[in-house]
Amino acid sequence: MQAPGKRAAIAGGRKYAPTIITRVNAPADGKPPYTNRLASETSPYLRKHAHNPVDWYPWGTEALERARRDGKPIHLSVGYSACHWCSVLEEESFEDAATAKILNDNFVNIKVDREERPDIDRIYQIAQQMLTQRGGGWPLTMFLTHDDQRPFFGGSYFPKEARYGLPAFKDVLLRVAAYYREHAAELRRQNEALMAAFSELNPPPADCGVELTAAPLGACRAVLERAFDRDNGGLGGAPKFPHPQTIEWLLRRGHASSRSPEADTEALQMATLTLRRMAAGGINDQLAGGFYRYSVDERWMIPHFEKMLYDNAALLAAYAQAALATGESFFAHIAQHTADWVMREMESAEGSYYSSLDADSEGHEGKFYVWDREEVRAALDSAEYAVFAARFGLDQPANFEGRWHLRVTTPVNEVARLVARTPQEVETLIDAGRAKLLAVRAQRVRPARDEKVLTSWNALMIRGMAVAARALQREDLAASATRALDFIRTRLWHDDRLLATYMDGRAHLNAYLDDYVYLADAILELQQLRFRADELTLARELVEVVLGHFTDRAGGGFYFTADDHETLIHRTKAFADDATPAGNGIGARVLLRLGYLLGESRYLAAAEHTLRAAWPVLERYSHGHMSLLGALEELLTPPEIVILRGETRTIGGWRDAIASTYAPHRLLLAIPSDATGLPAALADKTPRAGPVAYVCRGSTCSAPIDSLEELIERLDDGRGTSTPV
């Protein structure tokens, strides 16, 4: 491995004290019997392993030098705090003294939090899939060469004893160690083939003669229709994931075609059915709000119980946009419930957002959330129980290991008929029962909360809060989003660069592509709530860092890590979405929007180069690249930009009137007359004696509009771009 880049002191290349694992001889005094190097880390996941008998290192200079010096292969274990099977692996193997001895004798053991080091996780997830021809996941178990960190064997979870068709972890360790000693030359040949495969991951970009068309949009639509579950919503069978980016795209698709003779009403139906089924299912916490990670069944009934900030950020935005697109209060209610949960349980006193809640409590997945029927009956009065049981499935067989996980089984109107009450009375009883059960649940041992602050995930939630604040007209959500942005600016923006993570007063690790582009995207959403020139300046500074340090100048698009990041065995460039949107897709869309807003041709060119770099995969697998499809839409049809100028009170009323309609390809900024520090393209939109609007698409703008009625009419009939500037 090459020497770390010039920012490696921040990135994790620091030196550690030369202590190894320590045995405390008197555990009766309350101290843990073992303490290793992970005790000084910021990641709660790493700290969970600080008292394992395994001689753990964090990823860094000390561990890599130790492996080179001793000639021992590296055992790399990657996971995250809320991961259920990561906890199982720790309990079975990493807390076991016999397994720890095998690990300590034969390997240099490195533990990585994939949320803090997604750069490392991405590389070795790809390698695991190449080596095993199987999908990846967590925990990730990889074995690397001692001198250059190249992977030669890997897998995911291995049990303590052979079961599930998997070998015992101790047997795997002994066989891997022996193979490494006896087959060095063969492993080197395998390594060369693997590195060659890495170099071929990204095909050549489309050249400038290739026309970028809407063909991938149509191809994606056809794939989604085939995969759609028409009974339960969502895509495919079990396990079933929410795919909020796909939902947003279907909403946009249905809206964009609504006035054409061939309106895609089915796209809207696919989106709204999925949102309804998820909201009614066990994947949604029916008591406190907030969505779990995914459903283990196709009906959204039983979830994997971890709650992740990024899932809830994206779903909050999707439900809020569905409320605008359909006008249905149901979607607004779910968005309200989700946002309230975030502010109540995931917002720190400093204004940032925490990362996740564990799936487990007291060693059992879901224990905090599920119920015994008699426990519910005892907590509620007879009227409350009657409606609660009918509404949430307590009158049906147990659905989770002999207990009940709440999900909606009966519509309110049907419950009202069954208990001879009005729907309003039923809702009141449900609310009363919910409050009582939440009080009971609050007395249980809570799942652990990962309280580290990730820049990228906070940015996603800032965007979600901003979208919901506009759709729901809730100033408290806007205030929450603003507090989180102010936190990032204060704690994670240093020397004109971002840091990736913060906890307990310590910010560190170089930020990744996603951190920069997600935050720029979130800032643009916030500007549609209330304009602040300094925040817009920050968005521009963020994209300038991306262009200066992340650009693939030969192939187009952006690498996941900066050019001065620690050098790893591969520098990834990803176009496909995974649990979070692809940085290249969000980056391209942000560059297009800022490019049109500020009249910056460099941004527009960079966005097009990114789409050209991704074009081969967009043509073949469009459905796996929803964020890039969003950028392609706005390359082919530039977003509508509405600039309002005037006194704050007056243009605020104009803004609210316009923002009450669903317009996903519109950017709306209300800039007060006395605003200073405006970029030239916005300063040119001069204020007048009264409120005035400028409506632009691409490089053309309308004449100034001084009537709200005329402005709404122009926006409704699409005539806002008729006059060249």
Side-chain angles (χ1 to χ4, degrees):
M1 176 175 167
Q2 301 175 34
K6 62 186 179 184
R7 287 167 55 80
I10 295 175
R14 64 189 184 282
K15 296 289 186 177
Y16 291 82
T19 57
I20 60 170
I21 193 164
T22 302
R23 172 81 181 187
V24 178
N25 293 323
D29 63 4
K31 294 181 180 179
Y34 301 97
T35 299
N36 58 50
R37 298 166 185 81
L38 301 185
S40 61
E41 290 299 300
T42 58
S43 161
Y45 173 68
L46 298 187
R47 291 179 183 176
K48 282 173 66 176
H49 294 75
H51 303 296
N52 296 162
V54 178
D55 187 10
W56 287 118
Y57 289 80
W59 183 279
T61 302
E62 185 186 9
L64 304 182
E65 289 181 351
R66 170 75 182 274
R68 280 192 288 266
R69 183 175 67 249
D70 293 359
K72 290 182 178 180
I74 293 168
H75 160 236
L76 175 67
S77 179
V78 183
Y80 60 101
S81 182
C83 168
H84 170 72
W85 287 103
C86 300
S87 298
V88 173
L89 180 61
E90 179 190 16
E91 181 180 349
E92 289 182 343
S93 294
F94 299 148
E95 293 180 352
D96 176 64
T99 305
K101 186 175 189 310
I102 296 173
L103 285 165
N104 297 340
D105 289 348
N106 293 279
F107 302 94
V108 171
N109 301 289
I110 299 179
K111 175 61 72 173
V112 165
D113 182 342
R114 67 105 173 175
E115 296 169 356
E116 284 196 340
R117 294 302 303 263
D119 53 337
I120 294 170
D121 180 57
R122 285 180 181 222
I123 290 169
Y124 293 108
Q125 288 284 352
I126 294 169
Q128 191 264 351
Q129 292 172 45
M130 289 179 175
L131 289 169
T132 66
Q133 299 298 301
R134 296 177 183 173
W138 300 277
L140 176 66
T141 303
M142 295 298 293
F143 298 92
L144 321 179
T145 52
H146 69 278
D147 52 352
D148 55 14
Q149 299 88 55
R150 294 184 176 184
F152 63 89
F153 180 75
S156 183
Y157 162 77
F158 291 102
K160 184 176 182 180
E161 307 296 338
R163 61 180 186 273
Y164 313 131
L166 296 170
F169 190 43
K170 287 185 288 188
D171 293 341
V172 170
L173 296 174
L174 292 171
R175 288 161 56 189
V176 168
Y179 195 88
Y180 191 75
R181 290 191 300 269
E182 298 164 7
H183 298 273
E186 182 179 336
L187 287 176
R188 295 296 175 182
R189 288 192 296 271
Q190 175 183 287
N191 285 162
E192 292 302 321
L194 185 70
M195 296 310 295
F198 267 118
S199 68
E200 297 172 358
L201 285 176
N202 294 117
D207 63 40
C208 58
V210 174
E211 181 183 5
L212 304 184
T213 71
L217 304 175
C220 176
R221 177 65 181 81
V223 170
L224 296 181
E225 183 169 353
R226 291 194 297 271
F228 184 64
D229 181 343
R230 299 183 183 281
D231 295 321
N232 304 296
L235 302 176
K240 186 171 282 186
F241 289 81
H243 296 297
Q245 292 178 82
T246 301
I247 293 169
E248 283 197 35
W249 187 81
L250 288 167
L251 286 173
R252 294 198 305 269
R253 177 96 176 180
H255 176 265
S257 68
S258 60
R259 295 188 180 182
S260 71
E262 300 178 354
D264 191 355
T265 56
E266 188 175 8
L268 182 63
Q269 190 269 341
M270 290 165 69
T272 55
L273 177 65
T274 300
L275 290 171
R276 287 184 180 282
R277 293 290 190 264
M278 286 195 301
I283 194 175
N284 180 23
D285 185 344
Q286 298 295 333
L287 295 184
F291 287 84
Y292 305 104
R293 180 70 191 94
Y294 63 87
S295 173
V296 301
D297 61 276
E298 64 185 11
R299 294 178 292 161
W300 307 108
M301 181 169 60
I302 301 300
H304 186 36
F305 283 91
E306 65 199 52
K307 286 186 179 180
M308 311 301 295
L309 185 69
Y310 59 81
D311 286 322
N312 284 280
L315 287 167
L316 172 59
Y319 278 97
Q321 291 186 63
L324 278 182
T326 66
E328 295 185 33
S329 60
F330 172 80
F331 298 119
H333 170 74
I334 300 301
Q336 305 260 23
H337 212 212
T338 305
D340 289 342
W341 169 77
V342 171
M343 291 192 295
R344 185 175 61 250
E345 297 196 29
M346 302 301 283
E347 186 174 324
S348 76
E350 296 177 282
S352 58
Y353 302 113
Y354 297 134
S355 293
S356 64
L357 297 180
D358 279 9
D360 299 10
S361 58
E362 300 183 83
H364 298 279
E365 182 174 9
K367 184 174 182 179
F368 180 75
Y369 299 104
V370 300
W371 295 88
D372 292 321
R373 183 156 51 193
E374 294 309 311
E375 183 183 19
V376 177
R377 195 190 304 273
L380 308 183
D381 66 30
S382 58
E384 291 163 350
Y385 180 79
V387 299
F388 224 86
R391 176 68 168 160
F392 296 110
L394 292 164
D395 58 351
Q396 299 183 15
N399 61 355
F400 185 79
E401 299 177 357
R403 307 182 76 192
W404 280 262
H405 177 56
L406 304 181
R407 83 282 191 200
V408 173
T409 58
T410 309
V412 167
N413 288 342
E414 177 63 16
V415 175
R417 188 189 65 78
L418 291 172
V419 299
R421 293 180 180 271
T422 68
Q424 292 74 22
E425 289 173 330
V426 168
E427 293 281 13
T428 299
L429 289 168
I430 287 173
D431 288 342
R434 180 181 287 114
K436 289 180 179 179
L437 292 186
L438 279 171
V440 173
R441 202 169 84 174
Q443 303 306 309
R444 299 175 178 175
V445 176
R446 297 181 61 84
R449 182 170 62 190
D450 186 332
E451 296 188 352
K452 70 175 179 292
V453 175
L454 296 170
T455 300
S456 59
W457 295 8
N458 269 248
L460 291 173
M461 185 54 76
I462 292 169
R463 174 187 179 265
M465 285 288 186
V467 171
R470 283 193 293 126
L472 307 175
Q473 297 183 341
R474 281 185 56 174
E475 292 185 3
D476 59 332
L477 305 190
S480 176
T482 299
R483 287 192 297 271
L485 177 58
D486 289 344
F487 176 91
I488 292 174
R489 297 180 70 180
T490 302
R491 301 299 183 95
L492 290 152
W493 177 247
H494 294 289
D495 300 325
D496 299 323
R497 299 290 287 274
L498 276 175
L499 299 175
T501 185
Y502 170 95
M503 188 166 174
D504 294 341
R506 178 182 166 202
H508 71 133
L509 299 177
N510 295 343
Y512 309 98
L513 174 66
D514 293 359
D515 298 291
Y516 284 93
V517 298
Y518 291 178
L519 187 57
D521 188 38
I523 290 171
L524 284 180
E525 286 293 344
L526 269 177
Q527 299 320 293
Q528 300 194 74
L529 288 169
R530 77 291 176 280
F531 179 81
R532 293 184 180 177
D534 60 324
E535 292 178 353
L536 187 60
T537 297
L538 176 59
R540 187 164 193 170
E541 290 171 344
L542 292 168
V543 300
E544 289 292 346
V545 174
V546 170
L547 294 176
H549 292 281
F550 290 83
T551 300
D552 179 355
R553 304 192 188 284
F558 304 104
Y559 291 109
F560 186 66
T561 55
D563 54 7
D564 52 4
H565 191 78
E566 174 188 3
T567 303
L568 303 171
I569 65 168
H570 177 64
R571 193 178 179 198
T572 57
K573 184 176 69 172
F575 293 122
D577 303 311
D578 48 33
T580 54
N584 271 283
I586 300 300
R589 181 173 174 272
V590 165
L591 284 164
L592 285 167
R593 292 201 155 198
L594 276 175
Y596 288 122
L597 180 67
L598 304 177
E600 180 55 78
S601 60
R602 290 186 302 119
Y603 296 173
L604 301 176
E608 181 176 345
H609 291 161
T610 300
L611 285 163
R612 288 194 176 279
W615 194 248
V617 294
L618 270 180
E619 286 191 306
R620 296 177 63 188
Y621 308 109
S622 58
H623 56 285
H625 301 81
M626 303 306 301
S627 58
L628 277 163
L629 290 184
L632 177 62
E633 288 172 331
E634 297 203 345
L635 177 75
L636 299 175
T637 305
E640 184 176 63
I641 296 175
V642 181
I643 306 297
L644 307 178
R645 299 300 309 272
E647 294 183 4
T648 300
R649 178 181 56 82
T650 306
I651 61 173
W654 283 33
R655 179 198 58 217
D656 293 345
I658 298 167
S660 63
T661 60
Y662 178 65
H665 293 296
R666 177 184 297 156
L667 190 61
L668 171 65
L669 302 184
I671 305 176
S673 299
D674 58 356
T676 59
L678 298 179
L682 296 183
D684 287 346
K685 311 296 189 295
T686 56
R688 298 190 173 190
V692 63
Y694 300 85
V695 181
C696 307
R697 189 186 293 277
S699 60
T700 62
C701 293
S702 70
I705 302 168
D706 58 10
S707 161
L708 177 58
E709 291 73 18
E710 181 183 353
L711 174 59
I712 292 174
E713 182 183 353
R714 282 181 178 269
L715 296 177
D716 283 345
D717 66 15
R719 292 188 292 112
T721 60
S722 57
T723 305
V725 176

